[in-house]
Amino acid sequence: VNKPFHILIAGAGIGGLCAALCAVRAGHRVSVFEAAEALEDVGAGIQLSPNAMRVMEALGLGKALADVGVAPDALTARMGKSGLSIFRVPLTQATLGKWGAPYFHIHRADLITCLATALEQRAPESLCLGRGIESFTQDAERVRVRLATGEIIAGNVLVGADGIHSSVRAQMLGADAPRFTGNVAWRAVVPVDRLGEHVPAQDATVWMGEGRHAVTYRLRGGTLVNVVGVVERADWQSESWSEEGAREEALSDFAGWHPSITTCLENAGTLYKWALYDRDPLPRWTEGRVALLGDAAHPMLPFMAQGAAMAIEDGWVIIDALMRDDPAAGLKRYEARRHRRASRVQAMSRANMKTFHKRGRVAQLLTYGPMALAGLIWPGLIRRRLNGVYGYDVTAKSGE
Ligand SMILES: Cc1cc2nc3c(=O)[nH]c(=O)nc-3n(C[C@H](O)[C@H](O)[C@H](O)COP(=O)(O)OP(=O)(O)OC[C@H]3O[C@@H](n4cnc5c(N)ncnc54)[C@H](O)[C@@H]3O)c2cc1C
């Protein structure tokens, strides 16, 4: 019933670019307004789990991402100090077959480049850099955005994909009230050839310990290690992805830890330091012709590595939901289809923070002991826990 829409998107991050590609695929006209002058991403990796890769494959980007991604050999949990294995569940072709798509570790810059290049080819000049959105107005016919340049642009729908500090969300719902979790994350990318014998395996590994944990995985043909170290401390509260921290401080946070972690911290070029905030699910994501997506709608702690995956799933659903109705009804349906899933993954991410940081021998034994047993006796049990997240196929639910 619908004519193609002109869809305005705030933000050319992972969620905004993905929604734009879905919109172009569906025959809509799209304009993506990005505040930054250039699409640069901080050096960091991202895990694209099968549920996100299904959307990428539906967009015809499976091969391009396979070319720049690394497929992990296994999902692994180890004790942070001793390196003792808690479990190691191989990710074979058979398991991936069950989840229906591959699992890749990708450099964020490579992912953004892949998405932006595809958009540039499929909808030339739809990406508008250095043109952030300041505010919006709407009536029964249209939504209008005011850009920082002073321009006013009209369209049929506005998608607020402008990230964790979204200005579209602020206008829609007022200032948000994030809670500092008491956790600080160190993030770095390190060339493998600097790590000698201490290079972490080509697995997705969580290293667990008292009041802290670390995650390691490989990027770019296995030549880089991505390391994230999360530590409970209350003295740093800046929620930025691009602020740098001092090496001695990172090393003191992980003093006595396994050399796989400390060697990474010793040899990393830049160490980013990021305070982790938690937020409750928002009461709503839409207002008439305007909807929020990705981190703007449901920012989550990184302990399930699903923030980008949820933004990617959102991009598919929001465009699918616009196929049938007038924009406002379509956006309401999008919210109804996504709110429960995103809120659930938000809650799972929060729960993982506690699991990863068990204090004291008894608590560690009670938590990690059964996990180790399950890993030994029945790796399927650990995979099954992930089925609901990784096995979810948002592309199969089209038109609901
Ligand atoms: C350390 C770390 C590790 C992570 N690991 C994973 C992982 O392994 N797997 C995973 O799925 N997720 C992961 N995430 C989460 C993931 O990166 C985010 O959830 C994801 O980037 C959200 O995408 P987005 O498009 O909603 O927002 P963003 O990627 O933040 O993009 C928002 C964009 O909007 C732009 N913008 C802001 N304001 C405006 C404005 N007013 N007008 C126009 N443009 C604007 C910004 O410049 C930016 O380009 C991780 C996050 C971190 C920090």
Side-chain angles (χ1 to χ4, degrees):
V1 206
N2 278 325
K3 302 210 171 55
F5 292 133
H6 181 196
I7 299 180
L8 313 179
I9 298 180
I14 296 165
L17 289 172
C18 183
L21 286 165
C22 293
V24 171
R25 177 179 173 277
H28 298 296
R29 185 179 155 216
V30 70
S31 303
V32 184
F33 299 102
E34 166 58 48
E37 296 287 339
L39 288 186
E40 287 163 350
D41 214 59
V42 292
I46 196 145
Q47 306 181 42
L48 281 185
S49 48
N51 50 315
M53 280 305 299
R54 279 184 196 263
V55 176
M56 293 297 151
E57 287 183 344
L59 288 171
L61 299 175
K63 162 107 182 42
L65 291 172
D67 287 347
V68 291
V70 174
D73 295 332
L75 295 176
T76 305
R78 301 177 68 173
M79 295 304 294
K81 285 192 171 166
S82 63
L84 191 77
S85 174
I86 301 170
F87 63 74
R88 182 172 189 274
V89 179
L91 287 180
T92 58
Q93 283 311 316
T95 23
L96 293 175
K98 269 190 208 143
W99 286 327
Y103 185 130
F104 287 123
H105 294 155
I106 291 183
H107 198 291
R108 289 180 67 102
D110 295 345
L111 175 59
I112 293 281
T113 302
C114 175
L115 295 171
T117 307
L119 184 62
E120 202 48 50
Q121 283 164 358
R122 297 172 194 186
E125 291 171 32
S126 58
L127 185 54
C128 313
L129 299 178
R131 291 165 82 191
I133 288 184
E134 280 195 337
S135 61
F136 64 85
T137 55
Q138 59 180 321
D139 55 33
E141 303 295 319
R142 290 203 141 346
V143 56
R144 290 183 178 75
V145 292
R146 170 183 283 278
L147 305 185
T149 55
E151 296 161 274
I152 309 259
I153 315 275
N156 303 100
V157 170
L158 168 63
V159 176
D162 48 350
I164 204 156
H165 303 295
S166 165
S167 53
V168 177
R169 180 186 63 211
Q171 182 175 342
M172 191 189 285
L173 296 164
D176 75 339
R179 289 182 305 274
F180 179 53
T181 57
N183 285 268
V184 172
W186 291 98
R187 306 193 295 145
V189 170
V190 200
V192 160
D193 56 20
R194 290 192 201 163
L195 299 175
E197 59 177 314
H198 298 306
V199 57
Q202 195 152 300
D203 295 351
T205 305
V206 185
W207 307 73
M208 308 193 200
E210 288 207 9
R212 64 210 66 211
H213 79 276
V215 174
T216 52
Y217 55 83
R218 301 277 194 94
L219 301 170
R220 289 207 175 133
T223 59
L224 297 175
V225 173
N226 187 76
V227 58
V228 179
V230 176
V231 54
E232 290 173 14
R233 46 184 277 193
D235 60 339
W236 175 262
Q237 305 200 355
S238 168
E239 193 183 31
S240 158
W241 290 11
S242 51
E243 275 188 53
E244 296 179 22
R247 188 181 315 278
E248 313 78 68
E249 209 184 308
L251 282 167
S252 114
D253 279 344
F254 285 88
W257 267 48
H258 194 271
S260 287
I261 304 301
T262 52
T263 312
C264 280
L265 299 176
E266 277 158 13
N267 290 283
T270 308
L271 283 154
Y272 295 101
K273 189 180 176 190
W274 170 49
L276 297 179
Y277 282 75
D278 199 7
R279 292 159 168 92
D280 290 325
L282 295 175
R284 62 189 170 88
W285 301 350
T286 66
E287 184 177 289
R289 297 171 171 273
V290 184
L292 304 172
L293 164 159
D295 277 6
H298 44 68
M300 55 186 71
L301 292 165
F303 306 136
M304 283 290 293
Q306 281 293 310
M310 289 301 114
I312 290 167
E313 288 186 4
D314 285 349
W316 181 274
V317 175
I318 200 166
I319 300 306
D320 186 58
L322 284 170
M323 295 303 270
R324 283 205 272 149
D325 288 295
D326 70 278
L331 295 180
K332 273 277 160 229
R333 184 168 33 242
Y334 150 75
E335 180 183 314
R337 270 175 64 188
R338 294 298 300 160
H339 202 279
R340 201 158 64 120
R341 175 160 170 83
S343 303
R344 187 178 296 163
V345 177
Q346 243 177 338
M348 287 173 87
S349 305
R350 187 180 293 155
N352 265 358
M353 179 168 70
K354 296 204 175 80
T355 309
F356 293 167
H357 292 194
K358 287 291 170 209
R359 285 182 187 278
R361 287 272 152 115
V362 175
Q364 289 189 343
L365 203 68
L366 286 176
T367 306
Y368 305 144
M371 284 165 91
L373 265 180
L376 274 178
I377 298 167
W378 197 13
L381 194 68
I382 286 168
R383 281 193 291 257
R384 199 165 295 180
R385 242 202 109 231
L386 295 167
N387 279 354
V389 179
Y390 292 176
Y392 189 82
D393 183 1
V394 85
T395 65
K397 298 178 196 288
S398 297
E400 275 176 14

